[in-house]
């Protein structure tokens, strides 16, 4: 049925508020806008990149009708706690998969991720989580913000590593969805995250080259805590 159909069938109406993630794709917030409701952006958990239940609680008002959480990069949202928040306040809670996730090669992706977890330094590897499918292997490049991550990415691409920045801007800065908010974990995630390839067809030699390139560059960066 999709986000829009589910919200409508559940009785969400124009003018209602719907809590949505600030980090990730814009499809959920755009669906809320199309039905005349108001997307309210909540911050994410630093480890999962999914909605932080405490941040959700902070943005609830008397006009809130629903919460939409999204699994991110193959890591599941904390839907148990989010559903508890929803039940406490009498709200509809939806938990969705991220659009465009890769469905095949799961075991090989997990093996690649385990190899990288054990060998990468100079970047922060993904937080361990049961059931992680590594649809994207997202590391953090610590430093002084976006210039460090972007320079790191350019250097990796020059060495043949097909890395990508998974989220370019917070959803609340996208035209048509812009809000005057500043969510610190979302901002840090946008500035620091980088997706490294872990698709099933990668060879061990490709993984070794990527590890060597990352580790050689990572030592040049100073973590910012």
């Amino acid at each position: 049925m999709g986000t829009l159909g589910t919200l409508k069938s559940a009785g969400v109406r124009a003018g209602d508020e719907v809590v949505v993630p600030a980090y990730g794709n814009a499809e959920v917030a755009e669906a809320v806008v199309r039905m005349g409701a108001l997307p309210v952006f909540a911050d994410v958990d630093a480890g999962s990149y999914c909605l932080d239940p405490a941040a959700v609680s902070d943005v609830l008002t008397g006009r809130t009708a629903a919460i939409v959480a999204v699994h991110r990069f193959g890591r599941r949202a904390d839907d148990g706690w989010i559903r508890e928040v929803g039940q406490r306040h009498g709200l509809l809670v939806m938990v969705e998969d991220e659009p465009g996730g890769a469905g095949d090669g799961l075991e090989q992706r997990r093996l690649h991720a385990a190899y990288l977890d054990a060998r990468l330094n100079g970047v922060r590897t993904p937080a361990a989580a049961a059931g992680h499918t590594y649809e994207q292997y997202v590391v953090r490049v610590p430093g002084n913000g976006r210039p460090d991550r972007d320079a790191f990415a350019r250097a990796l691409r020059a060495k043949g590593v097909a890395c990508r920045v998974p989220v370019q801007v917070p959803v609340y800065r996208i035209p048509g969805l812009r809000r005057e908010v500043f969510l610190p974990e979302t901002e840090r995630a946008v500035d620091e995250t980088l997706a490294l390839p872990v698709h099933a067809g990668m060879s061990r030699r490709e993984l070794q080259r990527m590890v060597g390139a990352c580790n050689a560059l990572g030592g040049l960066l100073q973590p910012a805590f």
Side-chain angles (χ1 to χ4, degrees):
M1 182 182 295
T3 303
L4 186 58
T6 302
L7 291 172
K8 283 184 175 179
S9 66
V12 178
R13 298 169 296 179
D16 286 343
E17 294 180 353
V18 179
V19 179
V20 300
Y23 177 82
N25 48 67
E27 283 89 340
V28 170
E30 289 170 343
V32 172
V33 169
R34 283 198 298 274
M35 65 180 298
L38 179 69
V40 175
F41 298 104
D43 213 348
V44 295
D45 173 77
S48 70
Y49 306 110
C50 303
L51 275 180
D52 180 351
V56 171
S57 295
D58 288 343
V59 299
L60 298 180
T61 73
R63 295 173 59 193
T64 306
I67 304 166
V68 183
V70 182
H71 303 315
R72 190 70 66 204
F73 307 140
R75 170 77 181 264
R76 295 189 62 81
D78 190 354
D79 53 344
W81 278 105
I82 292 171
R83 290 187 191 282
E84 183 175 309
V85 171
Q87 289 173 358
R88 193 183 312 140
H89 296 274
L91 306 174
L92 168 69
V93 175
M94 295 174 56
V95 183
E96 299 194 338
D97 288 322
E98 186 170 28
D104 56 353
L106 171 58
E107 290 309 314
Q108 197 60 48
R109 290 199 307 275
R110 283 177 168 162
L111 288 172
H112 291 340
Y115 181 90
L116 296 176
D117 285 347
R119 290 165 176 81
L120 283 173
N121 56 59
V123 297
R124 297 179 198 163
T125 54
H132 202 319
T133 61
Y134 296 99
E135 290 169 11
Q136 296 190 62
Y137 185 88
V138 176
V139 301
R140 285 186 184 246
V141 180
N144 297 317
R146 178 171 297 182
D148 293 324
R149 189 275 316 277
D150 289 352
F152 190 95
R154 286 193 297 271
L156 283 186
R157 293 184 193 117
K159 294 177 179 290
V161 177
C163 59
R164 58 182 292 272
V165 174
V167 177
Q168 298 285 344
V169 295
V171 183
Y172 51 79
R173 288 194 194 150
I174 295 174
L177 298 171
R178 195 176 297 275
R179 299 288 187 278
E180 292 301 320
V181 296
F182 180 90
L183 302 177
E185 291 301 338
T186 293
E187 296 282 343
R188 277 192 285 270
V190 166
D191 284 349
E192 295 181 354
T193 49
L194 187 66
L196 301 179
V198 288
H199 57 83
M202 290 186 71
S203 68
R204 179 57 58 89
R205 183 178 294 274
E206 288 174 311
L207 289 170
Q208 289 171 340
R209 283 202 299 264
M210 182 163 65
V211 167
C214 286
N215 290 352
L217 292 167
L220 303 177
L221 299 174
Q222 295 299 317
F225 295 106

